[in-house]
Amino acid sequence: MKILIVEDEPKTGDYLKQGLVEAGFSVDLLRDGTDGLHHALTESFDLAILDVMLPGLDGWGILGGIRRAGKDMPVLFLTARDAVDDRVKGLELGADDYLVKPFAFSELLARVRTLLRRGAKTTGAEFLRVADLELDLLRRRVTRAGKRIDLTAKEFALLELLLRRQGEVLPRSLIASQVWDMNFDSDTNVIEVAVRRLRAKVDDSFEPKLIRTVRGMGYVLENPLCA
Ligand code: CA
């Protein structure tokens, strides 16, 4: 699941991003309100976490822009200001939740999960499935043929990407940028190793094999019985 953070304070932004990535989410962090709104409208996110006071455009402005564009992703506000007025204004504008700084990361994570669960219920996007493989996006759990499979956060993100785009050949460069946040040139070996490990866990002791290498192109996940 993909989360957008717009926060201009470097420490808070980096801390949030790191924590959420470690929890298995894919995160884009922006520092400026105008860029943040543009990103919210051009990319697809399951949740936005917005600071109120931002350069460019404030958090209210971003929220207004998101809602005017008809996007109903949940929005969580972060702010140092805890005035009742702000809270009311945020909720009136269509914010889903409000967290006052400073906050414990565990509390943020709990709110994030609640909002994602609520969002997933309306879109039905709580699980991703192919054949007998199932990803539980909120609990970050994977099962195949009913058996629990333990994946690292990166393996989970990789499998989620392959599943979301099943049937599509994903080039290594795309996998590198989406899962590792890095350029193709950095180290493609990282991807090969990760795919091998992922296959060992989700494919080796099961049939049919779901992840396939397309030589010279990349990787594809599909149910060969339906392809
Ligand atoms: Ca700020």
Side-chain angles (χ1 to χ4, degrees), residues 70-218:
K71 296 225 174 201
D72 59 358
M73 70 177 107
V75 172
L76 171 68
F77 263 106
L78 294 181
T79 181
R81 302 189 302 182
D82 57 351
V84 176
D85 284 0
D86 278 354
R87 200 188 165 95
V88 170
K89 185 173 177 187
L91 296 174
E92 270 176 0
L93 280 168
D96 299 275
D97 205 353
Y98 201 102
L99 203 54
V100 175
K101 292 178 194 172
F103 51 83
F105 184 77
S106 55
E107 182 174 7
L108 174 93
L109 190 58
R111 305 264 191 119
V112 162
R113 290 209 162 112
T114 303
L115 288 173
L116 286 173
R117 190 167 300 127
R118 212 186 287 161
K121 284 229 168 81
T122 53
T123 58
E126 207 167 338
F127 297 94
L128 293 173
R129 296 185 183 92
V130 63
D132 55 356
L133 176 71
E134 181 179 277
L135 251 82
D136 180 333
L137 294 170
L138 296 170
R139 289 178 199 84
R140 318 304 290 173
R141 269 192 213 154
V142 178
T143 55
R144 182 144 187 204
K147 279 185 209 143
R148 175 84 179 266
I149 296 172
D150 286 316
L151 298 184
T152 64
K154 286 293 177 207
E155 288 164 353
F156 191 96
L158 173 62
L159 184 59
E160 181 179 346
L161 175 67
L162 286 163
L163 252 169
R164 283 193 188 279
R165 317 238 334 223
Q166 53 182 286
E168 243 181 276
V169 179
L170 302 183
R172 289 178 183 82
S173 54
L174 180 120
I175 295 174
S177 68
Q178 299 262 311
V179 179
W180 278 268
D181 235 342
M182 66 183 193
N183 295 323
F184 182 42
D185 301 337
S186 341
D187 191 0
T188 54
N189 194 37
V190 170
I191 294 158
E192 275 153 42
V193 170
V195 171
R196 202 179 310 140
R197 288 211 180 112
L198 183 61
R199 270 184 172 151
K201 292 181 180 180
V202 306
D203 263 351
D204 279 7
S205 32
F206 300 94
E207 289 296 338
K209 308 300 178 203
L210 301 171
I211 302 170
R212 198 158 53 82
T213 306
V214 182
R215 273 189 68 188
M217 294 182 73

Side-chain angles (χ1 to χ4, degrees), residues 5 12-24 27 29 105:
I5 303 173
T12 312
D14 294 342
Y15 164 75
L16 281 177
K17 179 171 179 175
Q18 195 193 337
L20 290 167
V21 166
E22 278 167 13
V27 178
L29 168 64
F105 184 77

Side-chain angles (χ1 to χ4, degrees), residues 7-9 51-55 101:
E7 165 63 86
D8 60 318
E9 200 198 6
D51 186 25
V52 172
M53 302 301 285
L54 289 166
K101 292 178 194 172

